[in-house]
Amino acid sequence: MQQPDADVRFFREMYRELRGRGPKLLREDFCGSFGVCCEWVKLGPGYRAYGRDLGAAPLAYGRKTFLPKLTPEQRSRVRIERKDVLAPGGPKSDLIMAMNFSYFVFKERAALKAYFKNCRRNLRPGGVLAMDCFGGGGVHRPNKESTVHPRFTYYWEQYDYDPVYNTARCAMHFKPKGGRKVRDVFTYDWRVWTLAEIRELLAEAGFRRSHVYWEGDDGRRGNGKFARDENGGREEIWIAMVAAEK
Ligand SMILES: C[S@@+](CC[C@H](N)C(=O)[O-])C[C@H]1O[C@@H](n2cnc3c(N)ncnc32)[C@H](O)[C@@H]1O
């Protein structure tokens, strides 16, 4: 699950480290309930956010839940569109974020390359595309994990793995404290892209360079802190971030 406030700080820092200046205009592709956009505009008056998603339900949830928590001035710096991420248009951005492995929805090389090309077109010169990725030997078989939060327990389950197409069906379940577990609240049918494939496609789409960031751990599980490194990924299942420079 995303932690939009931590994500925007991490990606702003990552951009600064790569570009030597701060990003101002963020594009959040597959924005869903656009929590990241809402956190972005809270960073300061010069920060603007543009979010895009095809789903009416998550967009409506964001309008009901997150937008009202912003001040009118902050709200004026958020723009959301219900549109395919492959469609042209939208403002040219400093930073594009494609989080929650959402681009895994593209199952074929040509489709992912077309998406990366579109991202490149939507970036200002020197802009950065950032996304998360998961992998490791553990994703080659069914797996699950749970995290207890104060008001609910969150479950992640990967149902299967297809070695021919490198695809997996995954789901999120939730159990409110004292309530019954609700299964398959969100379900995904994904191609599990490898970092090597992603970086090759980024280069083919015209990105100058790409970098991998690995998550640190607190001894038991990932701690949500990522550092640039070409030698990570020893865990059974890992999460990494990828950043590509235009
Ligand atoms: C894994 S969810 C990401 C949710 C989002 N990051 C959030 O926190 O609410 C994937 C999202 O991608 C959207 N989506 C899938 N294919 C899309 C496409 N081609 N163009 C735009 N949005 C798409 C879905 O509607 C869904 O909201």
Side-chain angles (χ1 to χ4, degrees):
M1 282 201 313
Q2 262 178 311
Q3 292 177 293
D5 52 341
D7 284 348
V8 296
R9 287 192 158 70
F10 169 73
F11 283 109
R12 180 175 61 166
E13 226 22 68
M14 179 210 72
Y15 184 98
R16 275 195 187 133
E17 190 211 358
L18 293 175
R19 312 297 319 153
R21 61 186 161 82
K24 284 292 156 66
L25 179 52
L26 168 79
R27 175 182 175 123
E28 184 188 5
D29 273 349
F30 309 99
C31 66
S33 47
F34 54 91
V36 167
C37 288
C38 290
E39 288 300 325
W40 186 258
V41 296
K42 288 188 201 164
L43 292 174
Y47 289 83
R48 289 189 296 131
Y50 169 75
R52 211 183 241 213
D53 197 286
L54 264 182
L59 292 176
Y61 183 82
R63 288 189 205 285
K64 199 176 85 188
T65 315
F66 296 125
L67 267 192
K69 297 201 174 109
L70 299 179
T71 66
E73 192 282 325
Q74 288 169 339
R75 239 174 280 156
S76 74
R77 290 183 278 113
V78 179
R79 188 178 140 208
I80 304 298
E81 270 195 313
R82 186 176 171 208
K83 223 173 184 180
D84 195 313
V85 295
L86 292 170
K92 294 239 185 274
S93 311
D94 297 311
L95 175 62
I96 298 179
M97 284 173 62
M99 297 296 289
N100 295 129
F101 323 109
S102 303
Y103 61 95
F104 281 17
V105 75
F106 299 123
K107 294 235 182 101
E108 283 161 15
R109 232 178 162 276
L112 187 58
K113 185 166 159 183
Y115 173 59
F116 287 163
K117 278 189 161 176
N118 201 33
C119 287
R120 193 174 172 282
R121 271 192 294 271
N122 290 321
L123 284 169
R124 290 175 173 160
V128 173
L129 165 64
M131 63 209 124
D132 53 6
C133 175
F134 71 81
V139 306
H140 293 168
R141 51 195 162 269
N143 63 78
K144 49 183 157 184
E145 67 160 28
S146 59
T147 313
V148 180
H149 293 275
R151 288 165 48 208
F152 64 93
T153 302
Y154 155 74
Y155 303 84
W156 172 258
E157 182 162 2
Q158 181 183 324
Y159 285 122
D160 55 17
Y161 172 73
D162 182 327
V164 177
Y165 293 99
N166 222 29
T167 53
R169 288 178 309 136
C170 305
M172 285 183 188
H173 322 303
F174 293 90
K175 182 179 176 303
K177 198 169 181 196
R180 279 186 43 227
K181 184 168 171 182
V182 186
R183 295 185 60 84
D184 295 336
V185 177
F186 298 105
T187 57
Y188 307 101
D189 184 0
W190 279 338
R191 163 98 182 241
V192 186
W193 291 97
T194 66
L195 286 167
E197 289 169 318
I198 292 167
R199 295 178 84 184
E200 282 169 11
L201 286 170
L202 286 166
E204 287 176 29
F207 284 91
R208 278 191 303 129
R209 267 192 305 233
S210 63
H211 312 277
V212 187
Y213 297 73
W214 292 101
E215 191 179 11
D217 67 76
D218 61 9
R220 264 176 13 96
R221 55 168 70 198
N223 62 8
K225 296 196 170 73
F226 289 83
R228 198 157 129 194
D229 189 352
E230 292 279 321
N231 296 301
R234 304 281 172 258
E235 301 82 5
E236 265 289 283
I237 296 179
W238 45 255
I239 291 180
M241 298 285 179
V242 179
E245 296 180 71
K246 180 169 176 174

